[in-house]
Amino acid sequence: MTTISPARVSMYDFLYQDTKPMVSLLADAAQLSLPQARLAMDASLQAIISALLAYQQRHQGQTVSKKLFGRHAVKELRQYNSMNFATLNATLYHRHDAADAIFHDSARVIKASDHIAAQIDATTPQVQILLTSLCVIVLRELAILVEYSQLDNDEINKWFALQPQFLSAARFAASQPTPASVALADTNDDKELILPAKNSLEVELEGSSERRLLNAEQLSGKPPPFDPYWYELTAFQPEHYEPVQDMQLATGNYLKVIGRSSENIQQGKHNDLLVFAEMTAITLPHQRWLLQLAKISEIYLQRNRLRITSEPASPPKPPLVSLGLIGGNNDNTPTTTSEKPIEYEASIPLWKNPVILIIILVIGLLGGLATLKYYKQKSYSIRLAKEQLLEQKPSAEERQQQDVAIVMVDEDEPNDEKVEKPLSKTSI
């Protein structure tokens, strides 16, 4: 049996690990030091996740899928397969639009930036650049998980409903180290986990009134405890969600397939079932879509997709997860530092495209009318020319006739005295 951490379906845990490689890029864009950027990213992720939960609580999963995950900014950003300055420029271009959509009000974005800036000793505009840029990245990453996990609207609602337990104080209290372990870490790991004196972190924050150090939990990879202030800012109302198992599906065979109980493990090729490990203060239903989401999240985190690198020559393949057993750790897709761009529908052939056919039909119709009009005018011109020729022909013949004079001769008179008297003038 293969176990997977329940934190793999946590938006907060996934985004915290996923966005780690982007610290330097966002620090450069916001003109912050690396320690300031790391602390600002932690608080910004908490604010964004709380705003997303409030958005889903108001509008439900269908609107989240269409209005947030299907935004033009998300589609454009998914055309990039790596994180670099080109990707960052596209992120900065769409950051205000995405932030206003998530927080539902630009005033909340400014208020959240003020709160974070006061914690890290930075200015509000600097934090606002980082916060709004993270909004676009978060929507992109969550949209990828939803698409490749094939979540429908109802499953998106259930996924969002599971998130508050990952942000609860009980979850972080259970993971807090004991005082003895803290003392041991201070003595033994002071040079490794806590940065030594006069290092880059202290140099950056030495002149501030509140000099803060990244604690061992942040450096080891675990997200810091969630601040309930963000619930107040985003007006999110946490509701106690009890996962309900469909009893019609809770049969012995179903439990074997999904690996619900360890005593029902099958032998042979089906002995590598995927199940959720135990986690304090976390309760998850063993459902196919949730296990598939956890597996895809695990694969993507192993790929370190947001590491800063140049654009690859060819886009990577999406992860392959068995829909039958959702088991196995073997993933045949190549490890990559980037992500497959959004797949658009295949282009329709020209002879099947209705728009092209309509355009060709209109052009052919107009061409036929023009040809018909041309021949009609041509026949009319020929007929008119013939009529004019017929009208001109009699006058020409008249001009060719000769005038003949008929005279009368008086026979009684002598020939020499005969006088010619014209009688009439007739045209012959």
Side-chain angles (χ1 to χ4, degrees):
M1 177 179 293
T2 303
T3 59
I4 191 168
S5 172
R8 287 296 176 255
V9 297
S10 168
M11 296 181 185
Y12 182 37
D13 292 75
F14 170 76
L15 293 172
Y16 178 80
Q17 299 289 339
D18 192 41
T19 56
K20 272 186 176 182
M22 295 190 60
V23 176
S24 57
L25 271 181
L26 294 179
D28 181 73
Q31 297 182 355
L32 295 171
S33 65
L34 292 179
Q36 285 178 316
R38 178 68 267 180
L39 295 173
M41 287 179 64
D42 296 344
S44 298
L45 287 177
Q46 295 182 10
I48 294 171
I49 291 173
S50 179
L52 284 173
L53 295 178
Y55 188 97
Q56 185 272 339
Q57 197 172 58
R58 290 191 301 265
H59 305 290
Q60 297 304 308
Q62 183 177 4
T63 306
V64 172
S65 179
K66 292 184 178 180
K67 300 296 184 180
L68 293 183
F69 298 156
R71 298 184 72 84
H72 172 70
V74 177
K75 294 181 179 179
E76 179 177 345
L77 201 64
R78 289 184 60 181
Q79 295 178 4
Y80 296 92
N81 298 301
S82 62
M83 282 295 162
N84 45 47
F85 287 113
T87 313
L88 182 62
N89 289 335
T91 302
L92 294 175
Y93 180 80
H94 296 287
R95 62 188 181 93
H96 289 295
D97 179 60
D100 292 343
I102 294 176
F103 285 90
H104 200 264
D105 187 3
S106 58
R108 289 180 179 174
V109 178
I110 298 176
K111 191 173 181 179
S113 303
D114 291 336
H115 182 76
I116 299 173
Q119 294 179 343
I120 66 171
D121 192 23
T123 62
T124 300
Q126 288 177 312
V127 176
Q128 189 174 359
I129 293 175
L130 187 143
L131 173 63
T132 52
S133 300
L134 267 182
C135 288
V136 187
I137 300 298
V138 166
L139 290 182
R140 175 187 185 266
E141 298 303 288
L142 295 182
I144 291 173
L145 289 184
V146 168
E147 178 180 347
Y148 288 113
S149 301
Q150 301 177 3
L151 303 185
D152 56 23
N153 297 329
D154 182 60
E155 291 167 348
I156 290 177
N157 288 328
K158 293 179 180 179
W159 183 35
F160 273 79
L162 293 172
Q163 300 308 310
Q165 61 181 331
F166 292 103
L167 309 177
S168 63
R171 179 257 173 123
F172 293 102
S175 61
Q176 290 295 330
T178 61
S181 62
V182 173
L184 184 62
D186 291 339
T187 56
N188 297 335
D189 300 333
D190 187 43
K191 294 182 180 181
E192 297 179 2
L193 296 180
I194 306 300
L195 298 178
K198 297 301 179 182
N199 59 7
S200 60
L201 178 60
E202 290 195 4
V203 170
E204 293 290 345
L205 301 178
E206 188 174 6
S208 62
S209 58
E210 280 187 59
R211 184 168 56 86
R212 302 181 56 187
L213 292 177
L214 294 173
N215 54 39
E217 186 174 271
Q218 289 170 297
L219 293 176
S220 62
K222 297 180 181 179
F226 184 81
D227 187 0
Y229 167 78
W230 302 116
Y231 285 162
E232 301 176 5
L233 177 65
T234 59
F236 174 68
Q237 300 295 331
E239 298 177 356
H240 184 65
Y241 176 77
E242 289 289 345
V244 178
Q245 178 66 46
D246 189 354
M247 297 308 298
Q248 294 181 355
L249 298 178
T251 61
N253 184 48
Y254 179 74
L255 293 177
K256 291 179 182 179
V257 172
I258 66 174
R260 176 69 180 273
S261 56
S262 58
E263 60 272 13
N264 289 331
I265 301 177
Q266 297 181 2
Q267 300 298 324
K269 64 178 181 180
H270 295 161
N271 60 354
D272 199 15
L273 302 180
L274 184 67
V275 296
F276 284 117
E278 294 293 333
M279 188 173 181
T280 306
I282 301 297
T283 305
L284 295 179
H286 289 68
Q287 296 182 358
R288 289 175 178 269
W289 66 269
L290 200 58
L291 289 169
Q292 182 177 352
L293 175 65
K295 185 63 177 177
I296 291 178
S297 175
E298 175 75 17
I299 294 172
Y300 279 176
L301 290 180
Q302 291 176 359
R303 289 181 174 184
N304 196 19
R305 297 161 31 253
L306 296 187
R307 184 171 61 88
I308 301 174
T309 182
S310 59
E311 189 74 12
S314 59
K317 298 179 180 180
L320 300 178
V321 179
S322 174
L323 299 180
L325 299 177
I326 315 181
N329 292 324
N330 298 326
D331 177 51
N332 297 325
T333 57
T335 300
T336 179
T337 59
S338 58
E339 178 48 44
K340 180 185 177 183
I342 187 170
E343 295 181 356
Y344 297 96
E345 294 182 357
S347 59
I348 303 175
L350 294 180
W351 59 276
K352 286 186 178 181
N353 195 322
V355 178
I356 301 297
L357 294 178
I358 292 175
I359 294 176
I360 294 176
L361 181 62
V362 171
I363 294 177
L365 183 60
L366 294 177
L369 292 176
T371 305
L372 182 62
K373 184 178 180 180
Y374 169 76
Y375 282 108
K376 186 177 180 180
Q377 290 181 349
K378 184 177 181 180
S379 61
Y380 176 76
S381 301
I382 294 175
R383 183 165 51 87
L384 184 61
K386 289 182 179 180
E387 292 179 355
Q388 292 178 353
L389 183 60
L390 292 175
E391 291 178 356
Q392 295 175 359
K393 186 174 181 180
S395 58
E397 291 179 354
E398 187 176 5
R399 286 195 299 269
Q400 293 177 0
Q401 292 177 354
Q402 297 179 358
D403 293 337
V404 178
I406 301 176
V407 296
M408 181 181 292
V409 180
D410 191 0
E411 296 179 354
D412 296 337
E413 295 180 3
N415 293 337
D416 54 352
E417 296 180 359
K418 288 181 181 179
V419 180
E420 295 181 357
K421 299 180 179 179
L423 294 180
S424 63
K425 186 176 183 181
T426 304
S427 298
I428 299 177

